[in-house]
Amino acid sequence: MFVLAPEMTSTLQGKNTAGQVLADQDPKAARQAVAARNNGRLLDLSAPVDPQAELTPVLPGDPEALEVLRHSAAHIMAEAVKELFPGVKVAIGPAIEDGFYYDFDYERPFTPEDLPAIEDKMREIVKQNASFECEAWDRGKARQHFADQGEQFKVELIDGLEAEEVGIYRQGGFTDLCRGPHLPSTGRLGAFKLTSVAGAYWRGDEKRPMLSRIYGTAFFDKKELKQHLALIEEAKKRDHRKLGRELELFSFHDEIGAGLVVWHPRGMILRTIIENLERSEHLKRGYSMVQGPQILKRELWERSGHFDNYRENMYFTEVDEVAYGLKPMNCLAHMLIYKSKLRSYRDLPLRLFELGLVHRHEKSGVMHGLTRVRAFTQDDAHLICRPDQLETEILGVMAFVTDFMELFGFEYSLELSTRPEKSIGSDEDWERATAALTKALITSGKKYDINEGDGAFYGPKIDFKLTDALKRSWQCATIQCDFTLPERFELSYIDRDGEPKRPVMLHRVILGSIERFIGVLVEHYAGAFPLWLAPEQVRVLTVTERADEWAQEITQALIDADLRAEVDLRNEKLGAKVREAQMMKVPYMVILGDREVEERQLTPRLRNGKNLQSQTLEKFINLLKEEQAEPMRLLRQRAREGRGTEG
RNA sequence: GCCGGCGUAGCUCAGGGGUAGAGCAGCUGAUUCGUAAUCAGCAGGCCGUUGGUUCAAAUCCUACCGCCGGCUCCA
């Protein structure tokens, strides 16, 4: 039950508090409220309100409520840690997407074994039900307070603030610099759990000290916490690294090296389906296929700027005493293809597409299954065009990306990334490039965020972040505008007026890395691929060996019809065969017993456990063919419509 | 690269100073069976690699390699 602690009112300036006003408006809501919304701001219930503006309660179902709860949980955790580990220094502790964390500096890093004791201490604090009290302190006083306690991180934070007054929150014996708002009291923290420990640099800067971070999550009630933990379990089941092994798609090997994928037959057929689709879709959209070599002379990388700006990510070697670099990007060969003959303004845009294998030296701690590797294949293209064609080309790529995202059932969001610190090219070129991307974004009418300083070293970019079935987001497509490489490689075309002009270039990928994309796809579909992508589309199962002959005939007919079918003639019970096909997530099984043999029919079983009516082989093949072709039909239809609107 | 955890059979995991274990998978045989595991037998390991401590190391310590969770970076 929520009651304003009497001492809290003493800090107020004689005004009505949010809690009191809410209690007058709606006593029931006031009791449940964790904070209040007033004048577009979130307030503590103990805070004075602007009487002119509307006041609404923040109730447990609201998204902001969870943030308040988790932020308060972080404070409670910090108090617990300070009590248990004297001398520990606190850094920052925000609420995050699905929980909270707090960073600490202690004589040793925390380990998972420390967590139960911290949780127990937190429960004690929750039981004490101390109120969260907010005070506004003069910055000098606050600075002195934290300096006296040796809390150098807090001091640094205060020094970075502009305001003359800073917010100070207290609960029990713990005082923290904080903007708030917080729960009325610690007792309102319903269900929480500390989940992991990790190292984290102070302010995310590699050059600054590494702190010890404790992650946790919190909810209003135990049921929600349980659901959340179940969701994490579900995500684990979908983990592409686990499914990749179980479904025999790919593997990694110590003996081969970190971040280097080995594709097994089932994974390779999946890749091939996607790559073949890419090839045909690119050809249909006016691209040409090309391919460059894996190693190119270092001198060329120096010329492009990669040696100066990307060296630490590259692998170098020597051939006959000449230095070579293994390609981390595909653009150089494409530049030379452009330069191989004189180009007319009529030839543009030139769209060069390459499924290019690139190698990048990633730091040892960052590899992650297929989503972060050291060798990967980009569905890369370079669009070399006249300046007046730039916007149309960008829009064309955006439409291409949209078509593919819809094909796989992904949502996505857009980000515009601007000039980074380490970069090449003139200010004017960066401005022109950024303006072109911005203009295309505006024309497209799509919403986008701006990511300052996150562009490639040679140009700004639009990134597409796709969201998978578990609401996680992944970088896939990117469009990068580049005025610099055409300059460095002295690309030109002869314009209408007979004068040589400098073209502009776009770097772009649609799926990004085929490896990463397949990793994301595996998790998105939980390994149960739609028919057109399934490595094995049909498995033919016999009840007894009397059906062997019919089974082999059917299997061959399916293969002849370009379907991916396998047959299980083993001396096993049908239940065992079904189970194995089910675990491999094969979309269709075909059951063959004496009945089917006699009638020259087959009984299809779907992945969801349902049987279809027994039917002829011809009918079954038609069914599969149609289901397989449907996504492609929709893709082509969308592509045609898209082209129409672009003119 | 940094912080923490981990590395035992193809897979999932037990064993934690006295010389290696289970289930599943594999192989062999029997069984001919109707929708998520038929039965029996057999075989399988330089306990990630390398140094060291010890009479003795899968077990304790060093360093490498790799994996997992984060940080930083990124397709």
Side-chain angles (χ1 to χ4, degrees):
Chain A
M1 178 130 344
F2 164 61
V3 184
L4 265 182
E7 68 274 17
M8 292 172 74
T9 52
S10 65
T11 65
L12 305 173
Q13 297 133 24
K15 298 263 174 61
N16 281 342
T17 66
Q20 287 165 338
V21 176
L22 283 178
D24 290 343
Q25 287 174 5
D26 180 352
K28 194 171 162 222
R31 273 197 299 281
Q32 289 176 351
V34 296
R37 229 177 271 110
N38 180 224
N39 226 348
R41 289 188 311 138
L42 285 182
L43 296 179
D44 287 301
L45 292 180
S46 60
V49 297
D50 173 358
Q52 308 301 320
E54 191 194 8
L55 185 75
T56 52
V58 175
L59 298 167
D62 304 345
E64 300 102 313
L66 212 46
E67 229 181 285
V68 171
L69 178 86
R70 288 168 174 174
H71 191 176
S72 302
H75 277 227
I76 292 169
M77 177 169 79
E79 180 182 354
V81 170
K82 282 195 86 165
E83 278 196 36
L84 290 171
F85 305 94
V88 70
K89 304 284 179 268
V90 296
I92 50 169
I96 51 172
E97 176 121 16
D98 40 32
F100 62 89
Y101 68 79
Y102 215 114
D103 285 345
F104 302 98
D105 188 24
Y106 191 52
E107 58 201 37
R108 63 166 176 88
F110 294 116
T111 71
E113 285 84 65
D114 295 322
L115 299 184
I118 300 172
E119 280 185 356
D120 287 344
K121 182 58 84 177
M122 287 173 72
R123 270 187 278 274
E124 268 177 45
I125 296 169
V126 169
K127 218 171 187 178
Q128 288 161 8
N129 198 19
S131 45
F132 279 89
E133 298 166 40
C134 178
E135 293 167 25
W137 284 11
D138 173 80
R139 62 180 297 144
K141 178 183 170 192
R143 193 182 188 285
Q144 193 57 49
H145 172 85
F146 289 113
D148 288 348
Q149 295 187 357
E151 293 283 5
Q152 72 266 26
F153 299 107
K154 293 294 174 193
V155 171
E156 189 178 329
L157 289 173
I158 291 171
D159 288 342
L161 291 173
E162 310 254 307
E164 276 315 302
E165 285 200 328
V166 298
I168 297 293
Y169 275 82
R170 242 189 236 285
Q171 93 266 358
F174 180 69
T175 308
D176 200 359
L177 172 73
C178 185
R179 204 176 317 146
H182 281 286
L183 298 172
S185 65
T186 59
R188 295 291 294 273
L189 177 57
F192 66 91
K193 183 174 170 56
L194 301 185
T195 49
S196 61
V197 293
Y201 299 107
W202 167 234
R203 304 211 128 174
D205 186 341
E206 237 178 321
K207 291 174 201 74
R208 310 191 72 172
M210 172 139 312
L211 306 174
S212 189
R213 175 173 297 178
I214 302 179
Y215 282 95
T217 189
F219 292 88
F220 283 97
D221 65 67
K222 291 213 166 65
K223 213 196 286 169
E224 287 171 303
L225 176 65
K226 240 188 186 159
Q227 273 173 4
H228 175 76
L229 297 176
L231 193 75
I232 291 173
E233 285 307 306
E234 171 61 24
K236 261 190 208 158
K237 275 189 216 141
R238 285 174 177 243
D239 191 319
H240 74 278
R241 294 167 300 187
K242 178 174 147 73
L243 285 170
R245 186 176 50 241
E246 289 171 359
L247 303 180
E248 298 172 14
L249 302 176
F250 56 84
S251 60
F252 292 91
H253 303 266
D254 290 11
E255 303 93 314
I256 288 176
L260 301 168
V261 190
V262 175
W263 290 95
H264 293 217
R266 285 168 183 271
M268 197 59 207
I269 191 73
L270 176 58
R271 257 193 89 131
T272 306
I273 293 161
I274 293 170
E275 289 178 346
N276 285 343
L277 174 70
E278 291 251 34
R279 291 189 180 100
S280 68
E281 284 303 312
H282 277 82
L283 291 174
K284 283 170 182 161
R285 292 164 201 249
Y287 289 75
S288 312
M289 293 195 290
V290 297
Q291 186 165 69
Q294 287 307 122
I295 58 173
L296 295 79
K297 281 185 186 168
R298 193 180 104 171
E299 212 181 316
L300 202 63
W301 296 112
E302 287 167 5
R303 182 167 178 192
S304 67
H306 285 85
F307 189 75
D308 280 342
N309 292 279
Y310 207 70
R311 189 179 2 184
E312 60 275 22
N313 288 299
M314 290 180 64
Y315 301 100
F316 293 96
T317 185
E318 206 182 276
V319 181
D320 293 341
E321 291 168 36
V322 178
Y324 280 77
L326 191 51
K327 71 173 176 182
M329 297 186 194
N330 302 299
C331 28
L332 298 203
H334 298 193
M335 306 295 292
L336 298 186
I337 292 169
Y338 182 91
K339 274 174 74 97
S340 65
K341 66 178 202 178
L342 199 57
R343 303 286 177 178
S344 149
Y345 71 96
R346 297 176 204 271
D347 298 334
L348 303 184
L350 188 67
R351 306 188 184 103
L352 302 177
F353 168 65
E354 172 169 1
L355 279 166
L357 174 61
V358 296
H359 288 76
R360 296 186 184 175
H361 177 248
E362 298 295 342
K363 291 181 184 175
S364 64
V366 306
M367 259 80 71
H368 183 93
L370 290 180
T371 61
R372 195 72 186 274
V373 293
R374 282 181 171 157
F376 59 99
T377 308
Q378 291 182 304
D379 57 341
D380 200 3
H382 294 91
L383 286 65
I384 302 164
C385 63
R386 306 189 306 262
D388 63 286
Q389 295 170 319
L390 197 50
E391 190 187 338
T392 311
E393 287 305 305
I394 295 169
L395 288 169
V397 174
M398 289 176 72
F400 199 164
V401 175
T402 306
D403 289 348
F404 265 47
M405 291 299 104
E406 283 177 14
L407 172 65
F408 293 102
F410 289 116
E411 305 273 307
Y412 66 85
S413 61
L414 294 169
E415 276 177 15
L416 174 66
S417 296
T418 58
R419 185 168 194 167
E421 272 177 39
K422 201 173 182 182
S423 57
I424 55 177
S426 70
D427 290 347
E428 301 88 79
D429 284 348
W430 274 88
E431 270 162 40
R432 278 162 71 199
T434 310
L437 292 174
T438 308
K439 187 148 180 261
L441 279 168
I442 291 168
T443 307
S444 77
K446 294 187 196 292
K447 270 202 279 188
Y448 64 96
D449 293 323
I450 293 183
N451 220 339
E452 293 290 349
D454 214 27
F457 73 83
Y458 45 75
K461 57 178 184 172
I462 298 173
D463 284 328
F464 293 72
K465 298 259 159 100
L466 67 79
T467 311
D468 70 14
L470 291 178
K471 304 279 175 221
R472 290 170 304 186
S473 102
W474 301 93
Q475 161 86 62
C476 56
T478 172
I479 308 174
Q480 309 176 345
C481 191
D482 185 356
F483 286 85
T484 307
L485 277 188
E487 190 73 37
R488 291 197 170 213
F489 280 83
E490 299 176 317
L491 301 192
S492 68
Y493 63 93
I494 305 301
D495 208 354
R496 197 186 293 264
D497 60 9
E499 293 297 316
K501 300 270 171 70
R502 185 78 71 214
V504 187
M505 178 157 89
L506 291 172
H507 308 243
R508 50 104 281 192
V509 291
I510 303 294
L511 301 181
S513 144
I514 302 292
E515 284 77 1
R516 172 179 291 181
F517 189 75
I518 289 177
V520 173
L521 263 193
V522 168
E523 304 200 2
H524 182 61
Y525 292 126
F529 296 106
L531 187 70
W532 71 280
L533 284 169
E536 180 183 354
Q537 298 172 304
V538 187
R539 187 171 296 185
V540 179
L541 309 180
T542 51
V543 178
T544 72
E545 63 189 14
R546 291 187 296 279
D548 283 6
E549 213 174 299
W550 183 216
Q552 278 165 315
E553 198 179 319
I554 288 173
T555 308
Q556 193 55 50
L558 291 166
I559 292 168
D560 289 344
D562 289 323
L563 291 161
R564 298 181 289 277
E566 289 177 32
V567 62
D568 186 350
L569 300 178
R570 289 173 312 155
N571 179 9
E572 283 289 348
K573 292 174 85 168
L574 182 61
K577 295 185 181 185
V578 166
R579 178 169 191 268
E580 282 176 36
Q582 199 75 42
M583 289 196 304
M584 294 305 282
K585 303 183 194 279
V586 180
Y588 282 93
M589 291 171 224
V590 158
I591 312 289
L592 302 176
D594 290 340
R595 214 164 48 229
E596 286 81 3
V597 173
E598 200 172 308
E599 294 166 359
R600 295 276 297 171
Q601 292 220 330
L602 54 86
T603 305
R605 181 192 203 272
L606 276 57
R607 196 158 42 186
N608 64 15
K610 293 207 177 81
N611 273 11
L612 298 182
Q613 197 106 73
S614 294
Q615 55 193 276
T616 63
L617 176 58
E618 290 65 34
K619 194 174 167 203
F620 182 59
I621 288 177
N622 284 337
L623 174 84
L624 295 183
K625 287 294 221 183
E626 242 167 77
E627 182 178 336
Q628 172 166 254
E630 183 62 11
M632 294 308 111
R633 202 181 59 73
L634 289 174
L635 174 69
R636 293 274 20 110
Q637 189 185 326
R638 269 197 308 272
R640 269 196 304 277
E641 287 164 3
R643 212 169 298 157
T645 56
E646 274 158 46

